[in-house]
């Protein structure tokens, strides 16, 4: 296996894990056990890592971190939606 293939496989596993967590939140409609700071921190870190990876021309990590950034933004919107629904009850 080449290093690039290992990178892409690892990237896929990480993205599936994060995506599944956001999906579970979406379906459950709950905010318990999830900190809003998780998504805020993930947005900040993914933005920094995307920039860093781009500067190094490391496309595996650039794509991975861009996708993680998207997941963090979607996760934040799901969190806010769920919190509004909880407080509206």
């Amino acid at each position: 296996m080449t290093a690039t293939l290992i990178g892409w496989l690892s990237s896929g596993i990480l993205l599936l894990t994060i995506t599944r967590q956001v999906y579970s939140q979406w379906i459950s409609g709950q905010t318990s056990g999830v900190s809003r700071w998780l998504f805020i921190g993930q947005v900040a870190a993914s933005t920094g890592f995307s920039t860093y990876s781009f500067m190094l021309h490391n496309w595996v990590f650039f794509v991975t971190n861009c996708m993680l950034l998207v997941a963090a933004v979607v996760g934040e919107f799901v969190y806010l939606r769920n919190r509004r629904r909880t407080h509206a009850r």
Side-chain angles (χ1 to χ4, degrees):
M1 244 190 240
T2 67
T4 302
L5 181 58
I6 292 169
W8 283 115
L9 288 174
S10 299
S11 173
I13 292 167
L14 179 59
L15 291 171
L16 286 173
T17 303
I18 298 295
T19 302
R20 178 64 184 166
Q21 177 60 42
V22 172
Y23 177 75
S24 293
Q25 262 189 267
W26 176 266
I27 295 301
S28 74
Q30 301 296 314
T31 58
S32 60
V34 179
S35 169
R36 181 176 186 197
W37 289 103
L38 168 72
F39 298 113
I40 293 169
Q42 187 181 344
V43 166
S46 293
T47 299
F49 280 132
S50 294
T51 302
Y52 176 73
S53 300
F54 180 80
M55 293 169 70
L56 294 179
H57 303 280
N58 187 323
W59 306 121
V60 171
F61 286 111
F62 175 72
V63 170
T64 300
N65 284 296
C66 286
M67 297 305 293
L68 288 172
L69 178 59
V70 169
V73 170
V74 170
E76 178 66 15
F77 281 117
V78 169
Y79 176 86
L80 292 173
R81 178 201 72 154
N82 291 350
R83 193 175 73 175
R84 275 193 302 272
R85 286 183 177 178
T86 300
H87 287 99
R89 293 179 190 169

